[in-house]
Amino acid sequence: MDEDMLRCVTEQGFAARTLPLPLYVRAHAEVLVPAADAGERLDLRAADIPLLDVAVAADRRGALRQLVERAAVLRILRSDHGSLRDSLPDSDGDARADARDGSPSAVGVGDSHDEAVARAIYQELARRRAESGIEKGTLITGRDQAEGPSGVALRGVDGRIDCYLLGETAGVPAVGAVLRLDRLERPLCAVVCDLWERRGVERAVQAVLREFVVTTLPRRDDTDRAHLPHGDFHDVVAVGETDFETLAPRPPRDETGELRDRLRLHGHRASVRVLGPADRAALVACRLEPTATSEPSADSEPVRRPTTGTEDDWRPRDVAALGLRAPRQLSLTYERDDVRIGRVYHENSKMRTAYGTLPVVDIAEMSPPARRLLGQAYRDFGHARRQYPMRPSGQPRLLTLDQVVRRRRSWAAMGDGELTRAELAHLLTLSYGTTGAAVAGQDLRLPLRATPSAGGLYSSDLFVLVDRVSGVEPGLYYFHPGKRLLQLVDDERTLAEVAEYTGYRERAGEAAAMVVYVGAFRRNQWKYRERGYRTVLLDCGHLAQSVVTTATSLGLVAHPMIAFVDDYFNAYVGVDGVEDAVLYLTLLGPRRTGDEAA
């Protein structure tokens, strides 16, 4: 479970945050940050967040697994002991008090103790292989040069990822990846060790993508990026080729036993210490030591010891030393539970297997009454005691599209004058009136509107709360698009009263009228099922844009608003908020005289 890995991070005194990646990076990234910068509070300051490390994998669990290991490394480095120089029991249970080769420890995490030990050993071997100097390798072919086996990749970029077999270290195959992009100053490299070479290719691609992600992150100062401990072998010479399909299709049956045997054969043994509880995940630290009776065999790559610096310089490095800081968007935090319902809705409204999840609709096979229903996408308050025709006469003087786009501003100053009835009629007709008809079958003419709608089902209704419109008494009206009428719905509440239930009371009180958009879910959910909710929202957005654009072309101010109390507005309009619901508002008013601000 992802949450188990996340707890393993937090229990070590750190926090993990998801890092948004460019769309051309097909992977998942998590960053390690101080516990104080966990995403458990709303932070609108866009303050700097120290970035301690970066992990890139095919999915969130894989990235969190890497962060658990790096959090453990940081915890070790920051402890009073500084590094693992104390007694460590080895994998056979013996105590090993000395650290004769001075090797820094690697950390591994896994679902089992054996898996954690193997991951730690692979990391330590990869470090040694990278530092041994790499000059040649066997190019792995037969795969997309930008992809890994699990789809972790760069796409649509000018470059490639080449993977190589780089021989063995202590009998364990090493796999390297080189990322070459035209706009990079130099290629990026990463090396991993793994008994299963196919998995090694995948891990190498993930590791080099991590290198790439690190290069894209902002820095806290102008210092150059320090060299990362993955080696620099971009000039590796390909001495042969091997097809990816020829690599072993599965790992050894007893991976840990095979790994232990190869280490012993090449003169190494592993000292291991358990660092974390085993109830969720095993977390271990591991150090490779030479045995007292044997030397590494000739097929192992020599390990070049550092000629300068202290052994402290050889410890695993904290990425914070690179001067990185988290991207600004990490400050715009929210809890996953805050958006869980939205994510459930989005997942359940996806269309799957082409159109297989939707019923097949053939209008020709529908009965005549059913077909007529498709052309009656409106309500009708025909018995209202007040109705006003909305059939504009003459042609209004409209701004050009270029002027409309440049002039539109939601917060443009409104004047205290009235809208004219003609302006309101033009606005409603040009944004949602019937503008034509389409023939469907031999006996049905479907009305066409000024605004598009999913399936031509027109799931949105327009209500207008009038306050100052010449020739129209104040009140809430329904706009009947077919009859082009304003039909009275309610005249007991004023706009000033209704404005109290919006997020911008004073601004709403300035308006001469308010457009209220109501979604009629039943109109299209019979056809689009769960996806129908999306289409209702899209229809409403199309309609709102038409209202805003038309109002601006008429020289009016249109201010869209989503801040309102849903239950109040649903009750005011007279809908239940379930089958039908208020979705959006737009304030309308005359532009203040002399205000031509762009």
Side-chain angles (χ1 to χ4, degrees), residues 34 67 135 180 220 229 240 247 251 371 374 417 463 503 514 518 571 574:
L67 286 195
E135 298 177 352
R180 298 179 174 91
R220 303 182 69 179
L247 303 180
R371 289 203 299 270
L374 298 181
F463 291 76
M514 175 189 292
V518 174

Side-chain angles (χ1 to χ4, degrees), residues 315-353:
R315 296 176 186 169
R317 293 188 177 183
D318 178 352
V319 180
L322 303 178
L324 297 178
R325 60 176 173 80
R328 293 293 188 184
Q329 61 263 42
L330 283 188
S331 291
L332 302 178
T333 66
Y334 58 83
E335 288 283 2
R336 289 182 178 270
D337 285 344
D338 294 340
V339 295
R340 188 176 301 275
I341 298 301
R343 293 184 178 188
V344 170
Y345 144 66
H346 186 76
E347 186 65 27
N348 284 280
S349 64
K350 288 180 178 177
M351 189 177 292
R352 305 178 191 277
T353 316

Side-chain angles (χ1 to χ4, degrees), residues 269-529:
R269 66 180 302 165
S271 295
V272 178
R273 185 175 73 180
V274 175
L275 299 178
D279 56 339
R280 289 185 299 276
L283 181 63
V284 304
C286 180
R287 182 176 61 225
L288 295 185
E289 301 172 347
T291 60
T293 58
S294 62
E295 295 296 331
S297 60
D299 65 339
S300 292
E301 293 288 339
V303 176
R304 298 178 182 175
R305 300 294 303 279
T307 57
T308 60
T310 65
E311 286 189 348
D312 284 346
D313 294 330
W314 245 44
R315 296 176 186 169
R317 293 188 177 183
D318 178 352
V319 180
L322 303 178
L324 297 178
R325 60 176 173 80
R328 293 293 188 184
Q329 61 263 42
L330 283 188
S331 291
L332 302 178
T333 66
Y334 58 83
E335 288 283 2
R336 289 182 178 270
D337 285 344
D338 294 340
V339 295
R340 188 176 301 275
I341 298 301
R343 293 184 178 188
V344 170
Y345 144 66
H346 186 76
E347 186 65 27
N348 284 280
S349 64
K350 288 180 178 177
M351 189 177 292
R352 305 178 191 277
T353 316
Y355 297 97
T357 55
L358 298 180
V360 178
V361 177
D362 186 347
I363 294 179
E365 295 182 357
M366 299 173 67
S367 66
R371 289 203 299 270
R372 284 194 293 271
L373 281 176
L374 298 181
Q376 298 172 1
Y378 47 74
R379 306 171 194 270
D380 194 345
F381 295 80
H383 298 288
R385 66 175 181 270
R386 287 203 302 267
Q387 300 188 62
Y388 296 94
M390 290 284 112
R391 296 179 180 273
S393 59
Q395 291 295 325
R397 182 180 178 183
L398 302 176
L399 300 177
T400 66
L401 179 60
D402 180 81
Q403 292 172 315
V404 169
V405 172
R406 296 177 184 277
R407 194 179 191 190
R408 191 218 63 79
R409 293 293 182 271
S410 298
W411 282 91
M414 292 184 185
D416 56 6
E418 297 179 327
L419 299 182
T420 68
R421 180 170 163 179
E423 288 173 331
L424 184 58
H426 281 299
L427 171 65
L428 296 176
T429 300
L430 294 177
S431 59
Y432 212 37
T434 300
T435 56
V439 177
Q442 297 181 353
D443 60 347
L444 177 64
R445 290 178 62 83
L446 292 177
L448 301 178
R449 307 270 188 92
T451 293
S453 172
L457 300 176
Y458 300 103
S459 61
S460 293
D461 287 311
L462 281 185
F463 291 76
V464 183
L465 174 54
V466 171
D467 185 61
R468 303 188 313 274
V469 177
S470 62
V472 180
E473 294 186 43
L476 177 68
Y477 294 85
Y478 172 70
F479 174 61
H480 193 300
K483 298 178 180 179
R484 296 190 186 182
L485 290 175
L486 278 187
Q487 299 173 327
L488 180 66
V489 177
D490 182 282
D491 61 355
E492 295 182 359
R493 304 182 216 190
T494 66
L495 189 146
E497 293 176 282
V498 174
E500 295 288 336
Y501 293 87
T502 69
Y504 298 94
R505 179 184 60 186
E506 294 183 1
R507 177 63 170 175
E510 297 175 357
M514 175 189 292
V515 179
V516 181
Y517 306 82
V518 174
F521 303 112
R522 187 182 295 274
R523 282 188 202 155
N524 67 10
Q525 286 185 322
W526 66 269
K527 179 178 180 180
Y528 294 111
R529 303 294 170 86

Side-chain angles (χ1 to χ4, degrees), residues 25 46 146 184 270 323 364 461 465 491 583 586:
V25 180
L184 282 180
D461 287 311
L465 174 54
D491 61 355
L583 302 177
T586 297

